[in-house]
Amino acid sequence: MQKIFSSGFWNDSDRVQSSELKRLLFHLRSTLIDSRAKTTVSKYANGFKRFLAWAQKYPEIDSILPASELYVSLYLQHLMQTVKHYSSVETAFYSIKWAHKLANLVDPCESDLVRSIVESSKRILNRPVQKKEPIDATIIKTL
């Protein structure tokens, strides 16, 4: 959360001098966080931390907020190749989107290319439905 509240919109928060304005600024952060359910905030914050950890492995990625479409796309591709279910890719997508929204920055997840990766993950990583065999009278009798 520290990274989010020190980027974009929040860069100017250091200029706030008045104690009353500082108090309002503190409450503004809480108000924005409360725009989502606590469980959603926790999920998105953890998802964004995973994106940060991944990005820190690559010195060429010099900006996380705002993140570039290219590196967000590569991160989502990385997830597609390492996770078993598309929900992990979807969580990463919405986590990055949420962080950019809180910082009031241009959202790389608005890109059609990035959205296409998420849609692809649904098709590629989705498990087929496995229907159960119907129960007949002989099975019920054995129970």
Side-chain angles (χ1 to χ4, degrees), residues 23-43:
R23 185 180 56 76
L24 290 170
L25 182 64
F26 175 78
H27 288 293
L28 179 60
R29 291 176 184 174
S30 300
T31 299
L32 290 171
I33 289 172
D34 289 344
S35 70
R36 299 273 187 238
K38 288 189 186 312
T39 54
T40 303
V41 170
S42 176
K43 183 178 185 177

Side-chain angles (χ1 to χ4, degrees), residues 53-138:
W54 175 84
Q56 287 173 345
K57 294 190 285 184
Y58 305 99
E60 68 206 60
I61 303 176
D62 57 353
S63 177
I64 299 301
L65 281 171
S68 76
E69 292 175 30
L70 174 64
Y71 293 121
V72 170
S73 299
L74 292 174
Y75 177 62
L76 297 178
Q77 181 65 40
H78 161 75
L79 289 177
M80 282 182 63
Q81 294 176 345
T82 58
V83 300
K84 296 187 186 316
H85 200 265
Y86 78 89
S87 63
S88 298
V89 177
E90 203 171 50
T91 296
F93 173 83
Y94 285 112
S95 298
I96 295 166
K97 185 173 193 54
W98 172 78
H100 282 76
K101 182 178 178 180
L102 278 181
N104 198 34
L105 293 167
V106 175
D107 181 5
C109 297
E110 289 297 320
S111 157
D112 287 339
L113 181 106
V114 174
R115 287 182 180 276
S116 293
I117 295 167
V118 176
E119 291 304 313
S120 283
S121 74
K122 290 178 184 178
R123 286 168 182 65
I124 293 169
L125 299 175
N126 197 13
R127 296 182 201 123
V129 175
Q130 295 186 2
K131 296 183 179 182
K132 296 183 178 174
E133 295 294 321
I135 297 176
D136 62 11
T138 56

